[in-house]
């Protein structure tokens, strides 16, 4: 029996690609990822068609590594629920055609706490006097990026 899915045909597609005794949840996960990829593509296409892409920063990231039952985080060790790199290091993809050079990459470590200051700077909102843990990523996103200054990254993990 398949798990409920609005895209049962897509789940079936992945079931045929998996080994005979594979967990059906893997097929459901793969179907979900393909659907998500398709919908993100539709969003980006719509921004292009409406002439809004150059003025819109789109950020895609995750809060932790992949679930060990469905993904492999190699070559990193570990996964969701642990502090090995595979559990805490995740990709972050940003698209802003007028600011970020297509195909560019940055190896500087960043954290989710950096998103608020970044979005504030992008929106040209005034800074407040409230101390923030993050820093704006805007200088690193530019076509001619400023080098990232080293900093400690610290968090609490009470698992």
């Amino acid at each position: 029996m398949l798990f409920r899915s609005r895209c049962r045909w897509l789940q079936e597609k992945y079931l045929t690609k998996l080994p005979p005794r594979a967990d059906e949840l893997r097929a459901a996960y793969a179907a979900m990822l393909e659907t998500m990829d398709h919908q993100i593509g539709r969003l980006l296409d719509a921004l292009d068609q409406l002439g809004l892409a150059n003025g819109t920063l789109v950020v895609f990231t995750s809060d932790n590594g992949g679930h060990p039952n469905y993904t492999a985080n190699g070559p990193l060790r570990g996964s969701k629920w642990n502090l090995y790199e595979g559990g805490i290091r995740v990709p972050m993809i940003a698209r802003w055609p007028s600011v970020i050079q297509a195909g560019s990459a940055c190896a500087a470590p960043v954290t989710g706490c950096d998103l608020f200051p970044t979005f504030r700077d992008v929106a040209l909102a005034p800074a407040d006097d409230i101390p923030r843990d993050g820093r704006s990523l805007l200088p690193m996103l530019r076509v001619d990026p400023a080098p990232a200054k080293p900093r400690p990254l610290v968090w609490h993990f009470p698992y």
Side-chain angles (χ1 to χ4, degrees), residues 44-115:
L44 297 178
D45 288 346
L47 289 171
D48 291 339
Q49 291 169 3
L50 294 169
L52 299 172
N54 283 334
T56 305
L57 170 61
V58 177
V59 177
F60 183 78
T61 190
S62 178
D63 63 341
N64 54 13
H67 192 291
N69 291 343
Y70 314 116
T71 62
N73 296 312
L76 304 177
R77 179 181 180 192
S79 60
K80 183 180 193 112
W81 303 309
N82 67 56
L83 290 175
Y84 293 118
E85 262 192 291
I88 59 173
R89 187 174 170 184
V90 297
M92 183 182 110
I93 301 168
R95 178 185 183 233
W96 194 7
S98 64
V99 176
I100 302 171
Q101 183 176 354
S104 62
C106 177
V110 299
T111 177
C113 293
D114 296 331
L115 294 176

